[in-house]
Amino acid sequence: MDARERIFKYHGLGNDFVVLDRRRTGVDIDAATSRWLCDRRLGIGADGVLTLLPSTRGVARMVVHNADGSIAEMCGNGLRCAVKYLVDHTDDNPGRIDVETGAGVLSCIPGYGDGGVIGVDISMGPARLVAPNLPSGTTGKPFLDSPLPDHPELRGSAVSMGNPHLVLLDQPLEDAARLGPELEHHPSFPDRTNVEFVRVESDGLTVVVWERGCGLTQACGTGACASAVAAVLAKRLPQDAWLRVTLPGGDLRIRVPGDLSDIRLRGPVAFVFEGVVALPPPR
């Protein structure tokens, strides 16, 4: 007999997630269940599944399951969804919530309006230019002016927001569907990578993201952060300012300090529906 479980659907700028609260059992889902839940014909339909597990370091530990069943270290839009869920299911309106993620414990400040939490300001932690999930040999500087192996026409920046990103400044946005699948699996990135196609403008950025394990999505919070970091390091946009990052689903605001110590993200979040699903048996 299929196990029945209550699920909750949220989205941040159209980047949509199924939320499973498993803090009581502490049991995560497997890859097959994630793929089934994310299937837009056979399951619920989502870019990812967020399981909330017990944590001794925060209100919950968030595990991000991609649509292909893989696990992401971090997801900015997903974290906003998790924060809204956690506040929606408490009896008060906390001023701050700490959530444990694969990128560490992140501090989140809910923004309230009609309907409860309508946005979240997240301390995303540091941006890293040297990390195990980035190409080796970068010596602490993104390869802004270096061609990518096998793609001499491309110039990219490697940035980790806990998860890996390859940022392509001034790359046509329409190239995302064509180049994204190949670049996600670029051999320079040991765990695959998210890929950002970025148009730099006078007052901000327009970005299309090919997400690792998902494909093209309406928005990507960590991708917006990585893109802003690359633009600031290239001296194309100012540091310590709230920068507009426009994605297909709408705008995020990102602030990049000069030392990259704590990238800030602000963005909206919305509840969609809740229901009960009959989960398939584990495979």
Side-chain angles (χ1 to χ4, degrees):
M1 181 177 179
D2 291 331
R4 295 180 179 271
E5 183 158 354
R6 184 162 294 278
I7 60 97
F8 301 83
K9 184 77 178 288
Y10 289 82
H11 79 87
L13 295 180
N15 193 195
D16 58 339
F17 300 91
V18 172
V19 177
L20 299 178
D21 190 343
R22 291 195 161 189
R23 286 177 290 173
R24 286 188 177 180
T25 66
V27 178
D28 202 354
I29 62 173
D30 59 16
T33 301
S34 175
R35 288 192 293 267
W36 179 81
L37 284 167
C38 291
D39 192 303
R40 297 189 185 276
R41 291 179 176 85
L42 303 178
I44 300 301
D47 292 324
V49 179
L50 310 174
T51 53
L52 300 178
L53 301 174
S55 173
T56 60
R57 304 170 64 198
V59 175
R61 178 167 68 92
M62 180 185 76
V63 180
V64 183
H65 298 264
N66 292 322
D68 69 350
S70 61
I71 293 179
E73 300 90 340
M74 172 53 189
C75 176
N77 290 324
L79 182 54
R80 296 203 310 281
C81 292
V83 167
K84 179 167 173 59
Y85 170 84
L86 290 165
V87 174
D88 285 349
H89 293 83
T90 60
D91 295 329
D92 59 358
N93 294 333
R96 170 180 143 174
I97 288 183
D98 291 340
V99 179
E100 183 181 355
T101 75
V105 177
L106 300 182
S107 178
C108 309
I109 300 174
Y112 296 96
D114 292 339
V117 176
I118 59 173
V120 183
D121 184 325
I122 303 174
S123 171
M124 296 286 287
R128 293 183 172 89
L129 310 181
V130 175
N133 56 15
L134 296 183
S136 60
T138 56
T139 65
K141 294 184 179 180
F143 46 102
L144 285 166
D145 299 317
S146 300
L148 292 173
D150 306 322
H151 285 281
E153 77 282 9
L154 298 179
R155 300 292 187 273
S157 306
V159 180
S160 175
M161 292 301 307
N163 57 351
H165 294 268
L166 172 60
V167 182
L168 304 175
L169 297 178
D170 302 316
Q171 189 68 27
L173 305 182
E174 58 270 20
D175 285 350
R178 177 175 64 89
L179 293 175
E182 179 183 358
L183 293 176
E184 175 190 349
H185 294 269
H186 198 283
S188 296
F189 290 84
D191 300 323
R192 298 185 292 160
T193 187
N194 302 279
V195 189
E196 284 75 42
F197 297 77
V198 183
R199 182 170 68 231
V200 183
E201 295 151 346
S202 60
D203 63 337
L205 304 172
T206 297
V207 180
V208 173
V209 182
W210 179 273
E211 285 202 53
R212 177 185 58 167
C214 298
L216 293 175
T217 57
Q218 290 294 294
C220 176
T222 57
C225 292
S227 299
V229 167
V232 167
L233 290 173
K235 301 188 185 304
R236 303 283 295 276
L237 289 175
Q239 63 188 38
D240 294 308
W242 284 103
L243 305 174
R244 170 190 57 80
V245 179
T246 298
L247 300 129
D251 290 358
L252 295 173
R253 298 287 171 176
I254 309 296
R255 189 177 69 189
V256 180
D259 61 2
L260 309 184
S261 60
D262 185 17
I263 312 301
R264 303 288 301 193
L265 178 153
R266 288 178 179 169
V269 64
F271 169 69
V272 183
F273 68 84
E274 66 177 283
V276 176
V277 297
L279 295 178
R283 298 179 185 178

